[in-house]
Amino acid sequence: MSIAIVEDEPKLAALLRDYLHKENFETEVYEDGDEALAALTASPPELILLDLMLPGTDGLSICKELRKTSQVPIIMLTAKVEEIDRLIGLEIGADDYICKPYSPREVVARVKAVLRRSSDNKNDLRSDVAEQAANQFVLEEDAATVRINGQEGTLTAVELQLLKAMHDKPGRIFNREQLMNRIYQDNRVVSDRTIDSHVKKLRQKLEALDPNNEYIHSVYGIGYKYEPAKLP
């Protein structure tokens, strides 16, 4: 994993570089703020050790600028104790800070801790995205299909209109007459049993795609409603 060391004191930068190399990290050292900002914006590393006081662009400004486009973990390094409150109060987006003088071993330990947190956050995000994708209910009107959890089924024209009417207003109860008017706009006369038959077939198709959830609910004495699946 690559670590950027932005530090204008060559001895400190070399010390950090040596300790990080022992832990199998790759490093790139920058002594100037302007150079660092350009390089880190173009190609962010896995983590940045960022000194507060730098020639050119200072550490605070670099952090703020990077946060506009990147969530790369940043550990601020500062020799000015009075700046700590400012670092926290400004909420500039740094993940941690370390006061000078510091132990290189402490820096390495902090680097590992921040990288672990960053990795956990990424895994949580991927898990959330995967869960959302897995629970998608997509009605494709142009193709007359419905897709649930990646499984796709075809719908008749009547089933499409039925499902669209209820899906567009989840939780709303439609009586049979309202559904008839949505489906048969030529004012033909059909019986309640016709609607019930279409709903039954639609339910069977949805159940085949997702047997764990019921999407079309009967409301006794009134009609039907659509409810999205409940996440576990």
Side-chain angles (χ1 to χ4, degrees):
M1 300 184 77
S2 59
I3 309 294
I5 303 171
V6 187
E7 170 62 69
D8 64 332
E9 296 184 43
K11 290 183 179 179
L12 273 180
L15 187 62
L16 290 174
R17 181 192 61 207
D18 291 344
Y19 271 82
L20 288 166
H21 284 180
K22 288 179 183 178
E23 298 296 327
N24 297 316
F25 290 108
E26 296 179 1
T27 61
E28 191 72 39
V29 176
Y30 303 94
E31 297 182 3
D32 177 82
D34 295 336
E35 176 193 8
L37 180 57
L40 299 176
T41 301
S43 181
E46 303 299 325
L47 182 142
I48 302 171
L49 290 170
L50 181 58
D51 190 24
L52 186 64
M53 304 300 294
L54 294 165
T57 307
D58 64 83
L60 285 177
S61 299
I62 290 175
C63 187
K64 291 177 187 176
E65 196 63 31
L66 290 174
R67 278 293 173 260
K68 293 178 181 178
T69 57
S70 172
Q71 291 303 312
V72 57
I74 298 174
I75 299 178
M76 301 294 296
L77 307 175
T78 177
K80 299 177 69 175
V81 176
E82 64 270 19
E83 289 288 351
I84 294 175
D85 289 338
R86 185 175 171 219
L87 284 173
I88 299 172
L90 287 175
E91 297 180 352
I92 59 170
D95 296 86
D96 201 354
Y97 64 89
I98 302 175
C99 294
K100 298 179 181 179
Y102 47 69
S103 161
R105 290 188 179 88
E106 178 191 3
V107 175
V108 172
R110 297 278 195 98
V111 165
K112 290 180 177 179
V114 169
L115 286 173
R116 276 196 302 271
R117 290 201 301 270
S118 176
S119 177
D120 290 343
N121 289 339
K122 288 178 182 177
N123 290 336
D124 289 344
L125 179 59
R126 283 194 290 266
S127 177
D128 290 343
V129 170
E131 183 178 49
Q132 290 172 10
N135 287 282
Q136 280 185 343
F137 186 109
V138 181
L139 183 60
E140 297 284 357
E141 295 181 55
D142 293 341
T145 61
V146 60
R147 187 169 65 254
I148 308 174
N149 302 345
Q151 303 296 315
E152 188 173 271
T154 58
L155 302 171
T156 66
V158 170
E159 290 165 352
L160 176 62
Q161 291 303 315
L162 258 179
L163 184 54
K164 176 173 169 50
M166 292 185 280
H167 179 264
D168 286 351
K169 298 184 181 297
R172 173 180 169 178
I173 302 171
F174 289 85
N175 61 38
R176 289 172 175 81
E177 183 178 357
Q178 288 171 324
L179 292 174
M180 287 179 197
N181 293 336
R182 291 292 189 102
I183 298 169
Y184 303 110
Q185 298 181 6
D186 56 1
N187 297 317
R188 74 178 70 177
V189 177
V190 296
S191 68
D192 289 354
R193 288 191 176 185
T194 301
I195 292 295
D196 292 341
S197 176
H198 288 310
V199 169
K200 180 180 179 180
K201 291 177 181 177
L202 177 58
R203 276 175 161 167
Q204 289 172 344
K205 289 186 177 182
L206 297 180
E207 184 179 357
L209 298 176
D210 183 6
N212 298 318
N213 287 291
E214 183 179 358
Y215 293 91
I216 307 299
H217 298 259
S218 298
V219 181
Y220 183 75
I222 305 178
Y224 300 99
K225 67 176 180 176
Y226 168 87
E227 292 283 359
K230 292 181 173 61
L231 295 178

